[in-house]
Amino acid sequence: MHLISKKVFLALFVVILLNGSSFGQKVDKIAPGIWRITFGTPEQHKPADFKAAPSDALSKLSDSKTPPIAIDEIKFRQTAKGSVAELMMDDTERIYGFGLQVNTFEQRGMRREIRTSSGVKGKDAYVPHPVPFGNVGFGHAPMPFYISSKGYGVLINTSRYVTFYMGSQHKVEKSVKIKQSLTAEDKTAATSPSQLYRSKYKSSNDVEIAVDGAQGMEMYIFEGPTIKNVVERYNLFSGGGAIPPLWSLGFKYRGKSDFTYKEVLNFTKYFRDNHIPCDMFGLEPGWHSAAYSCSYTWNKKNFPNPDSVLNVMHGMNYKLNLWEHAYVHPSSPIFDSIVPFSGNYAVWQGAVPDFITPQARNIFGSYHKENFLKKGISAFKLDECDAAYYDEAHAEWSFPDVARFPSGVDGEQMRQLFGLLYQKVIWDEYKKENKRTLLEVRASHLFAAPYSAAIYSDMYDHGDYVNMIANSGFSGVNWSPEVRETKSEADLIRRMQTILMSSHMVVDCWFLKNLPWYQFDEKKNNNGEFLPNYKELELKAKKLIELRMSLIPYLYAAYAKYHFEGTPPFRAVVMDYPEDKNVWKINNQYMMGDNLMCAPYVDGKSEREVYFPAGKWYDFNTNKTYEGGKKYKIIMTLDELPMFVKEGTILPLAKPVEFITPETTFDLTCRVYGNSGKPVRLFEDNTYAFDFEKGQFSWADLAWNGKKGSIKRSGNYKKKLYNITGWETVK
Ligand code: GAL
């Protein structure tokens, strides 16, 4: 904590008189480059209460004495409806963020409603949503946090729904001024429809933030100076990004909902027999004796002997992942004990634990520890924590906003927090066991970066999925653009490429009996009608999974940077090239680590435009070069991966392994792109525990002197994760 001078403090402690009421607003500098403004009496339980301790690395960032925006010009007021803040943007500012927004990217001029909801967009969803919300701001992990291109961030630390008007409204006082400058032409009667509808729309400079139902609000201001620095500061303040266990960067397959142990073992054996890399297998609802709501007990008909299934799977070096949600079925062993610490409404007859109470956390967490973690379950898929449906058929899929919880929060607050609290309860148990995990979760919220999880959805629009990869980088979350059924072979392969180039490579066949490359069409797949060329398609899929395995050392290093420096591994191009106005709106390309740019082909297409920022770029497949500052039309066959390498990159590519164990070491070929390979850092540790937090890790620095490559290690971890087997140059 940095002390601020008495004078500055007094200057910042302002009393605002508005609407006849007076409300104090207090400013604290809470960390380097982070200011907290407290207005009125914010609610008791806020997202920051569930935050990890800030990373020590925060102290290495710039730390200005004065905030990046004029805090004393922010106007707060209290109305009968709730708390409101007003601030200004200038004409040039662009706005990004608001969490994992689905189908919008640059947010200026928009009204964003920050509300957790699974019903994001009707189109292409597996469960077509009866009310297609379009792009109003709802989503699995929308967040009250935006970043301005001027290099500052604004976050509202609230668990209530928040509405942001980002220059979307104009005040009437402006019209009064406009009246004085109307031209003669402006005043002439409209003579055509286009004139009738003439509007000189341009977003305003006003930002209004409304937190309904609140008696105050807590606003955090983050200093940059760049967009990327704001995000890095936010992630480090959250505790630093999670480094997932190395095995979780491999390939995951999720089998059909009602698979029995026989089908699971058939699949896992199939992958090994055919040398298709696979690290994890996920069981869907059918492993529970009751799933909607959940019993958290094995279905003995499908899995008569779960321990022996686990033994066999571990023997084949698989990690097992279990699907569940947090609504506790009356038949569950924890039902009676958790009811007193649950909300007063049920979901699918199940109790909804109030994870703000230590009792609910303890009952749920220790049950999972004893029955699953200790037995060797490596991860969970935490489903349905975002549900918010409105029609008769689905309304019961969530608790209402008027629900009451023992901690004192209502249903609205719990809906916003539920995914965050749920992942934290499970993640805390893994942490106590000193085992890293990568959870899947369907909702999240602010400050989630240290809780190792990937968010997924039932939506399925490929373009939205790519947009969400770009947006995930603004908000400290991983996004999983999973593959399920597809429309064509091209759609299958292009989607497989996108999951390869994402934080989580998962094929989620929870409603497919057979492999998606045997048959991409759902009905035919389940009828056992296979494509004539399924073996050929399988080879393509296998090649892509192997390519993912090759990229693991590069990705692992990107995650280490996420942890130690806060830099998101997957991010919008604008974060790396903020000055290039051609990238300001690009949401269909993104950076993967510092040196690779991905430009997925969606909707089964094989032709698209790709814009290259400054420098020279190499096609990963052909080494063809592209000049920065230009847009190219690029055609790629299905065998080519839409990934481009920045000049000066040393790209370590591993010989693919079929699975990862604590003993795995990687043989690396380092490809040097261009004449001057810039040094690159790889991360080495035991790959599965939290020992790196106690200093048990090393950096392996790769360098190229124009003729020869070298590797230099520094740090406490002595075992080598990487062997360099060769250097290649790409001119
Ligand atoms: C959905 C989830 C799917 C699948 C399914 C099982 O809600 O998003 O991925 O797990 O539940 O019922």
Side-chain angles (χ1 to χ4, degrees):
M1 173 89 102
H2 283 236
L3 292 175
I4 52 174
S5 76
K6 210 169 149 194
K7 211 168 126 203
V8 176
F9 182 80
L10 282 174
L12 294 175
F13 190 88
V14 288
V15 173
I16 299 176
L17 284 172
L18 266 176
N19 294 345
S21 331
S22 74
F23 296 94
Q25 111 201 22
K26 182 172 168 284
V27 180
D28 303 291
K29 179 104 181 261
I30 53 170
I34 307 175
W35 288 261
R36 180 181 59 202
I37 312 166
T38 311
F39 163 71
T41 313
E43 70 268 29
Q44 191 194 348
H45 297 291
K46 298 177 281 304
D49 303 349
F50 314 106
K51 201 176 86 51
S55 159
D56 293 342
L58 254 186
S59 60
K60 292 191 202 133
L61 303 186
S62 63
D63 183 15
S64 304
K65 285 214 173 63
T66 47
I69 53 171
I71 284 187
D72 47 356
E73 283 170 20
I74 302 174
K75 295 179 191 146
F76 291 90
R77 66 178 197 276
Q78 186 64 30
T79 72
K81 203 163 182 286
S83 304
V84 180
E86 284 187 31
L87 52 162
M88 300 292 284
M89 296 182 280
D90 73 22
D91 288 342
T92 64
E93 280 177 68
R94 282 164 288 111
I95 302 296
Y96 299 96
F98 293 117
L100 193 63
Q101 290 291 310
V102 175
N103 37 38
T104 57
F105 180 68
E106 212 262 279
Q107 313 285 355
R108 183 166 182 147
M110 301 215 191
R111 166 179 172 159
R112 297 286 82 191
E113 305 228 344
I114 305 305
R115 191 184 285 213
T116 303
S117 170
S118 50
V120 178
K121 198 183 175 196
K123 194 176 144 226
D124 261 351
Y126 176 74
V127 184
H129 200 279
V131 187
F133 293 120
N135 61 27
V136 298
F138 294 10
H140 298 283
M143 296 179 201
F145 174 40
Y146 68 82
I147 303 125
S148 159
S149 58
K150 266 185 91 183
Y152 66 88
V154 175
L155 180 151
I156 309 298
N157 181 26
T158 180
S159 54
R160 293 222 166 271
Y161 300 154
V162 192
T163 305
F164 288 83
Y165 301 86
M166 301 310 299
S168 62
Q169 319 297 141
H170 291 264
K171 291 197 172 133
V172 74
E173 63 198 39
K174 223 157 129 197
S175 307
V176 173
K177 277 191 205 135
I178 287 171
K179 188 179 172 197
Q180 284 143 22
S181 58
L182 286 179
T183 63
E185 198 209 330
D186 289 331
K187 290 182 196 160
T188 50
T191 52
S192 65
S194 67
Q195 269 194 326
L196 255 186
Y197 289 95
R198 77 190 145 186
S199 141
K200 293 189 173 164
Y201 180 79
K202 200 174 147 273
S203 68
S204 80
N205 293 342
D206 297 305
V207 174
E208 289 91 11
I209 305 170
V211 188
D212 288 354
Q215 300 294 314
M217 72 166 92
E218 223 177 70
M219 180 187 280
Y220 292 13
I221 307 292
F222 291 81
E223 163 181 341
T226 64
I227 301 177
K228 197 177 180 187
N229 297 148
V230 171
V231 171
E232 287 168 341
R233 194 179 299 272
Y234 163 72
N235 287 336
L236 292 177
F237 180 62
S238 304
I243 309 182
L246 198 68
W247 53 261
S248 72
L249 294 176
F251 177 65
K252 181 192 288 171
Y253 190 86
R254 303 200 73 94
K256 191 162 181 284
S257 262
D258 56 0
F259 268 5
T260 66
Y261 79 99
K262 280 194 188 137
E263 283 145 324
V264 172
L265 294 181
N266 279 347
F267 265 78
T268 46
K269 200 166 165 312
Y270 181 87
F271 285 128
R272 292 290 179 259
D273 290 348
N274 289 278
H275 306 290
I276 300 171
C278 185
D279 269 284
M280 291 151 277
F281 200 89
L283 303 187
E284 287 287 314
W287 75 268
H288 287 265
S289 53
Y292 279 83
S293 43
C294 282
S295 63
Y296 319 101
T297 52
W298 288 91
N299 178 334
K300 288 289 162 79
K301 213 173 114 252
N302 293 345
F303 292 87
N305 191 345
D307 288 346
S308 82
V309 176
L310 256 168
N311 278 341
V312 177
M313 294 196 59
H314 288 159
M316 287 192 283
N317 293 296
Y318 277 100
K319 303 281 183 296
L320 194 62
N321 172 308
L322 297 181
W323 173 99
E324 61 162 59
H325 53 68
Y327 310 126
V328 183
H329 192 261
S331 71
S332 169
I334 55 172
F335 181 78
D336 289 343
S337 54
I338 215 150
V339 164
F341 307 103
S342 300
N344 64 336
Y345 280 84
V347 177
W348 299 300
Q349 285 101 49
V352 183
D354 180 346
F355 290 132
I356 296 177
T357 67
Q359 293 92 336
R361 287 205 300 274
N362 185 33
I363 295 163
F364 201 86
S366 49
Y367 179 85
H368 278 71
K369 177 169 105 191
E370 292 309 322
N371 293 282
F372 305 118
L373 273 66
K374 289 209 159 150
K375 301 243 156 134
I377 297 298
S378 304
F380 291 88
K381 171 172 171 180
L382 310 176
D383 206 14
E384 317 287 9
C385 39
D386 52 359
Y389 291 89
Y390 292 76
D391 68 321
E392 195 186 349
H394 299 98
E396 217 218 325
W397 287 28
S398 62
F399 46 86
D401 287 359
V402 295
R404 281 178 284 122
F405 287 83
S407 61
V409 300
D410 60 26
E412 172 189 327
Q413 293 168 297
M414 189 54 93
R415 183 183 314 291
Q416 299 291 81
L417 293 173
F418 203 54
L420 179 75
L421 297 171
Y422 186 14
Q423 64 188 295
K424 185 164 155 44
V425 167
I426 300 293
W427 183 85
D428 278 346
E429 293 303 327
Y430 278 100
K431 176 100 204 232
K432 283 186 247 164
E433 295 288 294
N434 193 22
K435 283 186 188 143
R436 269 143 72 189
T437 182
L438 179 73
L439 305 168
E440 284 147 282
V441 71
R442 229 178 59 184
S444 197
H445 205 53
L446 294 167
F447 310 119
Y451 312 132
S452 188
I455 304 167
Y456 62 96
S457 176
D458 281 347
M459 295 174 311
Y460 205 43
D461 184 273
H462 195 173
D464 287 349
Y465 273 16
V466 175
N467 183 51
M468 288 163 91
I469 298 179
N471 277 340
S472 67
F474 294 121
S475 43
V477 292
N478 295 307
W479 163 241
S480 166
E482 62 188 40
V483 170
R484 307 195 286 260
E485 86 291 4
T486 51
K487 292 189 186 115
S488 63
E489 287 180 20
D491 190 24
L492 170 74
I493 298 301
R494 293 304 186 195
R495 284 180 185 267
M496 287 289 292
Q497 293 179 340
T498 302
I499 61 170
L500 183 175
M501 302 184 296
S502 84
S503 61
H504 184 220
M505 189 175 194
V506 62
V507 168
D508 182 15
C509 288
W510 67 275
F511 51 79
L512 297 180
K513 225 174 174 168
N514 296 292
L515 291 161
W517 47 81
Y518 269 41
Q519 172 57 262
F520 50 78
D521 176 84
E522 180 186 347
K523 249 205 195 118
K524 291 185 183 159
N525 181 302
N526 288 327
N527 280 340
E529 294 168 42
F530 299 145
L531 294 162
N533 60 339
Y534 73 89
K535 272 287 157 192
E536 199 186 299
L537 267 181
E538 178 162 280
L539 282 181
K540 286 191 199 297
K542 183 179 172 203
K543 209 178 134 204
L544 289 172
I545 300 169
E546 285 174 346
L547 208 46
R548 167 69 173 206
M549 301 310 282
S550 297
L551 286 168
I552 283 182
Y554 174 83
L555 283 173
Y556 200 49
Y559 273 99
K561 194 165 175 189
Y562 187 29
H563 178 76
F564 290 102
E565 294 173 33
T567 318
F570 292 85
R571 55 188 184 262
V573 185
V574 66
M575 272 208 211
D576 288 38
Y577 299 91
E579 303 302 332
D580 182 346
K581 66 176 190 311
N582 296 309
V583 307
W584 290 353
K585 283 186 189 295
I586 289 187
N587 63 343
N588 60 357
Q589 297 172 212
Y590 56 88
M591 300 300 297
M592 174 157 90
D594 293 341
N595 301 314
L596 300 176
M597 187 173 73
C598 307
Y601 289 86
V602 301
D603 301 328
K605 289 192 190 117
S606 284
E607 183 181 321
R608 62 162 288 169
E609 278 188 339
V610 181
Y611 176 78
F612 293 91
K616 192 158 114 185
W617 294 81
Y618 293 79
D619 178 324
F620 175 74
N621 314 279
T622 60
N623 297 334
K624 183 177 168 191
T625 56
Y626 295 96
E627 221 180 286
K630 285 191 183 158
K631 207 190 252 177
Y632 292 84
K633 191 166 270 176
I634 298 180
I635 298 174
M636 277 193 187
T637 68
L638 289 182
D639 293 322
E640 294 173 308
L641 186 70
M643 195 167 83
F644 302 90
V645 189
K646 203 197 252 186
E647 182 178 26
T649 298
I650 300 176
L651 182 64
L653 286 171
K655 187 165 159 227
V657 292
E658 281 179 38
F659 49 80
I660 290 164
T661 73
E663 283 72 48
T664 300
T665 55
F666 289 96
D667 289 337
L668 303 185
T669 303
C670 300
R671 269 199 212 162
V672 184
Y673 288 84
N675 295 322
S676 62
K678 289 197 200 87
V680 100
R681 305 207 102 171
L682 296 182
F683 184 67
E684 294 183 312
D685 74 334
N686 72 11
T687 78
Y688 57 85
F690 288 92
D691 303 10
F692 71 91
E693 290 186 350
K694 295 184 204 99
Q696 290 304 308
F697 65 90
S698 290
W699 296 108
D701 291 302
L702 302 177
W704 175 253
N705 69 5
K707 288 194 186 104
K708 227 169 87 214
S710 62
I711 180 163
K712 211 176 107 213
R713 290 183 159 88
S714 54
N716 293 324
Y717 188 72
K718 296 295 170 222
K719 228 168 102 187
K720 289 178 186 156
L721 191 53
Y722 307 118
N723 308 310
I724 310 289
T725 52
W727 291 81
E728 286 172 5
T729 50
V730 180
K731 294 285 176 212

